[in-house]
Every structure is written in C-alpha cells, then in structure tokens.
Amino acid sequence: MNLRLVLTVAALGFIALLLVIGIRTAVRWLRIHYPQRANAALFGVCLLLAGAGVVIAVEMKDQPTFRPNDLLTLQEPVVARTIVGDRESRSLTCVVDLHEHLGVLELENERGTMRARVESNNTSEPLYCSIGAEVRIEAAWLHHPTITHRQADTAGP
C-alpha cells in the first residue's frame, strides 16, 4: 500500500475525530449554559448547514452540458492540443482566443475531454490554433462558455 495514501487517510481521520469531539463539546456547552434555547439554536444551525449544502449541490450541478455539433463561444482563451491524422506528426499545443468559436465534434466523458473543430480564431501569431483544426480540450478549462445548440445535419449524400 502507498505510504502517502496511508498518511493522508490517517490525517483525515484525525481531523474528522477532532471535528466530532468539537461538535459534541459545543452541543454539550450549549445545553448546559442555555437549556431553554439550546434546541432552537441547534435547529437553526442545522437549517443553516442544510441550506449551505443545497447551495453547494446546486453550484456543483450547474456545469454546462455539451452535445456533439454545439457551437461554443469562449469567454476566455483556452489551451488546446491538436489532433493529428497520421502517426508521423506530433500533437501541438495551441491557443483558442477570447470570443472565438469551437464546434463540438465528440465528447469523451470518462476522461473529461472533448474533440472540437476551431471555427474562428485569432491567426495573427503561430501560437493560435488554425481555423479548421481539430483540437482536444479539457472540459474543466472551459469557464462560462456561451453554448449554441445546433441541429445535426440530416441531409444525405
């Protein structure tokens, strides 16, 4: 077993034990010093903690959902890796600039990445991704993109 994992679990267990002891001591102190209002105070604290839990759950669930063929307008520059077609070429790192567009091609949910096509970009420097390039982006790096859900092309060949 990994020594770092054992030490981390032991430290977290010790912190949890200290929290439990502190909470029990605070409840006992409250009931001794304010016996008439202790239950109301504990109920208020429980409501406050439940409200905080709901707010945290809503914020965690408020992640954007991407679908293939969506158009993303970026609100900040994003670093991407190009997807190469042959094995001889190397994947390069490039930047998609602020207020530029990416078309989602495929989602890789298990790894948290997406394949996208650069539909518009600043091309003034070689640092930026070229228009039409297929790139791979970590979804965690996309902060507040504007998502336009486009219909998939249904026209046949």
Side-chain angles (χ1 to χ4, degrees), residues 13-154:
F14 182 70
I15 291 170
L17 179 66
L18 289 176
L19 281 173
V20 168
I21 291 171
I23 291 170
R24 285 190 58 198
T25 304
V27 168
R28 187 176 296 145
W29 179 86
L30 187 65
R31 287 194 174 162
I32 289 172
H33 287 75
Y34 302 101
Q36 287 83 18
R37 290 179 263 162
N39 287 337
L42 291 174
F43 181 72
V45 168
C46 288
L47 279 179
L48 184 69
L49 290 175
V54 167
V55 168
I56 290 171
V58 166
E59 286 295 322
M60 287 175 58
K61 199 171 191 161
D62 194 29
Q63 298 292 325
T65 57
F66 305 110
R67 297 185 308 211
N69 207 34
D70 282 351
L71 180 69
L72 304 178
T73 304
L74 302 177
Q75 302 302 320
E76 61 186 29
V78 174
V79 176
R81 294 204 50 94
T82 58
I83 299 173
V84 292
D86 59 350
R87 299 180 138 216
E88 306 279 322
S89 301
R90 285 186 18 189
S91 176
L92 301 173
T93 302
C94 59
V95 175
V96 181
D97 204 7
L98 172 73
H99 301 301
E100 299 297 346
H101 303 288
L102 291 172
V104 178
L105 298 174
E106 180 184 359
L107 301 171
E108 300 170 358
N109 291 332
E110 62 273 358
R111 293 191 326 199
T113 59
M114 74 171 58
R115 246 184 57 209
R117 178 174 289 118
V118 179
E119 295 194 3
S120 69
N121 199 12
N122 182 358
T123 57
S124 63
E125 296 181 31
L127 164 73
Y128 294 105
C129 301
S130 61
I131 296 173
E134 287 190 14
V135 294
R136 179 166 282 122
I137 295 178
E138 297 289 328
W141 289 99
L142 295 173
H143 299 289
H144 308 292
T146 302
I147 303 170
T148 305
H149 297 293
R150 298 187 290 191
Q151 296 295 325
D153 293 332
T154 57

